[in-house]
Amino acid sequence: MKRVLAILAVSILPAATAGAVLPGRVMGEIPAPGRNVTGLTYGKGLVWAADHRTDTIVGIDASGKVVRSFKSPGYRPAGLAFDGRQLWNVDVLQARLFRIDPDSGLVTRSVPSPVQRPRCLAWDGKALWLSDDAGRTIHRVDPEDGTTIREVPFPSKSVDGLAWDGRYLWIADRLADKLLVMDTDHGEVLFSVNAPGPHASGLAFDGRMLRVADYQTDRIASVARNGDEFLLVEKEKKLWVTFTHQLRNFGPDELVDVEVMLAVPHDSGYQAIGQLRFEPEPAEYRVDRWGQKVAVFRFPRLAAPGKTEIDMIARVQTQRMWFLFYPEQVKPLSRIPRSIRQRYLVDEPKYDIRNPVIRRAVAEAVGRERNPYWIVRGILRHIHRRMHYERIGGWDVAPKVLERGSGSCSEYSYVMISMCRAAGVPARYVGSLVVRKDKASYDDVFHRWVEVYLPGIGWVPVDPSRGDKPTEAERADSFGKVTADFLVTTEGGGGSEFLGWNYNYNERYKCRGRCRVEVEPIAEWSPEPPGKSGK
């Protein structure tokens, strides 16, 4: 029986337990039957490999022993597929597809390729899938005459292997060192996993696991297609961060009753907090209606010119987080706990979920879809097609942002949350400080994204602004995947009584007369503790 991790209503699921199997895990490997494998498939209990150096097609058993071998029909064999009875082989030079009896090695059919530079091949039970390096497309091909039934663009940088697992098309990309899972009905990548080697050159599915040939290591790896858990957390960066909040009063009059609120980060799938302190000490800690803890600092008077300065200093281990699951693992909307529906399906001023603009967008994006997974992916696709990233100042309400067609990360998040809630999918946001690539860096922009609740899975991160990219693989990385470049400080479902619609920080004050106030928040990252290396 498949083991599913316990769902937490207020946080991301815990990481996979030690020894857990997840999709993409390497389960074993055997030697390749040659040094130039350019195609791979599975059939009749054997792994079949095409070698373009020796112009042979070889069948090997589970140990890697050669059981059958015969000459390929052409002089540049590439992709292989098995249709349940016979093999199919692509010849690159002739641009033809050959059907071959695996027992005798005799060619039983030859059809022209519908593309100029054919290479990789797979069989989906009724038709062939064929990659075209020239057009950067993947074609579903009629095996009777070689005509194209439909085509989809390359989802990533390169296509170096194809395999059909009975439901989805797997794609090997040697340039990105990834294996991608594509739903061909929707034309979208579900997720990707790391390739087991540096140069994938063939891909097959044996009914249980994927087989991946590597041109550089001359090995064939067995890779898990399914898992008994679905969340992978990888520890990555250990850094110090000092988040400084300065409030300056340029006057000419004084401020009174100044309050500064800083969001307090905690351990989660995103991060592990080693040390955390504030300078000065906060007056008190409070918890808002979303469960967010905040540190409250009070300054009764602030003359002009004058400033307040608060530091939050933390030792952080940031973590890379991948959700690896299939749409069919998501339960119906009716399985959402009542407590989550009551908190994360309600309207908020920034969302305006009953606005006709939002209603029309949801109807167009979702249609009659019932699976919560595809509801969310449809909304994400709709946003990517109609918006582009632009910081123009301020955070408008979701309908206005969608009509304008551009927005910041916060505005993308408002639109995503609004549409998800209108469609019946609970959604909330998280806010963060960002590691700007280098270990010693600073951040004064920050970042916000969305979490959606998928029944049977839990809270899953979705980053609509970062997923606004040109390829399907890049867009898929915005769903269920977060890099180790963030310290999440804030979790919220809407306006907070302490942070308002801000994240990371907020402030309140009163002025006796005329005051010009400026707030400067900045996060300084360093591999060394504060005070060393000039940080």
Side-chain angles (χ1 to χ4, degrees):
M1 180 177 179
K2 183 166 289 189
R3 183 158 50 95
V4 179
L5 300 179
I7 295 172
L8 302 182
V10 295
S11 64
I12 291 289
L13 293 171
T17 54
V21 176
L22 292 99
R25 180 174 176 177
V26 177
M27 307 301 291
E29 63 177 20
I30 57 175
R35 299 190 61 187
N36 305 95
V37 172
T38 50
L40 207 67
T41 193
Y42 183 86
K44 291 200 166 186
L46 300 177
V47 174
W48 297 87
D51 189 313
H52 76 167
R53 178 79 174 184
T54 60
D55 299 332
T56 56
I57 296 173
V58 177
I60 60 175
D61 63 16
S63 68
K65 179 183 176 182
V66 175
V67 177
R68 291 195 180 94
S69 178
F70 48 82
K71 286 291 183 181
S72 62
Y75 294 97
R76 188 68 183 278
L80 283 173
F82 183 72
D83 66 11
R85 292 185 178 182
Q86 297 191 14
L87 296 168
W88 286 85
N89 179 226
V90 176
D91 187 78
V92 176
L93 294 180
Q94 297 183 60
R96 295 194 71 84
L97 311 178
F98 296 98
R99 191 172 189 237
I100 308 164
D101 184 330
D103 296 321
S104 64
L106 295 176
V107 174
T108 61
R109 188 183 307 167
S110 172
V111 297
S113 164
V115 300
Q116 294 179 10
R117 291 178 58 191
R119 189 152 64 97
C120 303
L121 200 61
W123 174 262
D124 68 7
K126 294 182 179 180
L128 294 160
W129 287 91
L130 175 68
S131 69
D132 176 23
D133 286 350
R136 295 186 55 78
T137 51
I138 305 173
H139 294 241
R140 190 167 188 255
V141 176
D142 187 331
E144 294 297 324
D145 58 10
T147 56
T148 293
I149 301 170
R150 59 172 296 209
E151 65 180 271
V152 295
F154 275 15
S156 58
K157 298 178 181 179
S158 180
V159 172
D160 302 281
L162 295 173
W164 184 263
D165 70 3
R167 191 161 191 164
Y168 303 112
L169 184 66
W170 285 78
I171 300 163
D173 181 343
R174 71 175 180 85
L175 297 181
D177 292 329
K178 298 289 185 184
L179 305 179
L180 301 89
V181 194
M182 173 178 274
D183 182 291
T184 55
D185 290 336
H186 292 83
E188 295 194 33
V189 173
L190 305 183
F191 60 82
S192 64
V193 297
N194 292 329
H199 187 153
S201 60
L203 195 58
F205 182 66
D206 67 8
R208 190 170 62 92
M209 288 188 291
L210 294 158
R211 304 297 184 100
V212 187
D214 192 274
Y215 200 83
Q216 181 170 320
T217 64
D218 298 325
R219 309 286 290 180
I220 297 176
S222 297
V223 175
R225 187 267 187 199
N226 298 318
D228 49 23
E229 295 183 5
F230 43 73
L231 175 58
L232 174 64
V233 174
E234 296 177 337
K235 297 177 174 62
E236 188 162 310
K237 299 175 182 176
K238 289 185 177 181
L239 297 171
W240 287 89
V241 60
T242 300
F243 178 61
T244 301
H245 179 286
Q246 291 183 343
L247 184 150
R248 298 177 186 272
N249 178 21
F250 292 93
D253 299 313
E254 72 173 356
L255 297 178
V256 296
D257 299 334
V258 178
E259 280 191 331
V260 177
M261 283 75 66
L262 299 189
V264 180
H266 61 85
D267 290 347
S268 69
Y270 297 114
Q271 65 220 10
I273 309 296
Q275 300 178 37
L276 179 66
R277 71 179 190 272
F278 292 94
E279 296 178 359
E281 287 291 324
E284 64 174 332
Y285 291 96
R286 302 290 298 274
V287 177
D288 72 10
R289 65 188 179 116
W290 306 108
Q292 175 64 51
K293 184 178 180 180
V294 297
V296 182
F297 303 83
R298 295 191 176 96
F299 305 89
R301 298 177 61 187
L302 183 60
K307 73 173 183 177
T308 67
E309 182 169 321
I310 302 165
D311 288 332
M312 179 182 74
I313 303 166
R315 172 68 163 156
V316 181
Q317 180 171 268
T318 61
Q319 299 173 157
R320 180 182 303 172
M321 187 165 61
W322 283 337
F323 278 83
L324 305 172
F325 63 92
Y326 298 95
E328 58 270 22
Q329 293 177 275
V330 179
K331 306 300 182 185
L333 291 174
S334 60
R335 298 286 295 275
I336 297 171
R338 182 180 178 184
S339 60
I340 290 178
R341 291 200 307 268
Q342 289 176 335
R343 296 190 77 187
Y344 298 106
L345 285 179
V346 298
D347 202 3
E348 293 278 337
K350 290 287 188 183
Y351 306 147
D352 196 7
I353 65 177
R354 295 176 181 84
N355 189 289
V357 172
I358 298 299
R359 292 294 190 184
R360 286 194 297 269
V362 170
E364 183 177 343
V366 175
R368 297 183 178 181
E369 181 60 61
R370 308 303 298 172
N371 186 318
Y373 177 94
W374 287 116
I375 290 174
V376 174
R377 289 298 296 262
I379 290 170
L380 190 60
R381 180 171 60 249
H382 184 92
I383 292 172
H384 289 162
R385 287 175 177 174
R386 285 159 179 79
M387 289 183 61
H388 65 273
Y389 184 83
E390 183 181 26
R391 293 174 60 216
I392 59 175
W395 294 332
D396 282 326
V397 296
K400 184 175 181 180
V401 174
L402 191 56
E403 282 189 310
R404 188 176 69 224
S406 67
S408 64
C409 64
S410 288
E411 291 174 313
Y412 267 82
S413 296
Y414 295 162
V415 173
M416 185 82 197
I417 293 171
S418 175
M419 291 183 67
C420 284
R421 290 190 181 187
V425 178
R428 65 187 186 187
Y429 61 78
V430 296
S432 68
L433 312 176
V434 185
V435 183
R436 298 293 175 181
K437 300 305 179 185
D438 296 310
K439 289 185 177 180
S441 63
Y442 71 90
D443 175 34
D444 59 356
V445 178
F446 316 124
H447 190 54
R448 180 174 355 212
W449 64 88
V450 176
E451 291 177 351
V452 297
Y453 187 86
L454 298 180
I457 305 298
W459 288 104
V460 176
V462 181
D463 194 339
S465 64
R466 288 206 166 194
D468 197 356
K469 300 289 178 61
T471 68
E472 284 297 332
E474 291 173 303
R475 288 191 284 271
D477 278 347
S478 70
F479 185 93
K481 182 178 180 181
V482 178
T483 60
D485 298 316
F486 306 98
L487 170 62
V488 170
T489 67
T490 312
E491 297 174 356
S496 162
E497 57 267 44
F498 304 115
L499 297 175
W501 284 89
N502 288 340
Y503 59 99
N504 297 335
Y505 67 93
N506 194 24
E507 57 281 320
R508 299 170 182 159
Y509 49 82
K510 300 172 185 176
C511 176
R512 294 187 187 277
R514 296 168 297 159
C515 302
R516 182 168 69 87
V517 177
E518 291 186 4
V519 175
E520 183 182 12
I522 190 167
E524 294 274 3
W525 293 91
S526 174
E528 301 291 339
K532 294 186 178 181
S533 300
K535 300 297 180 186

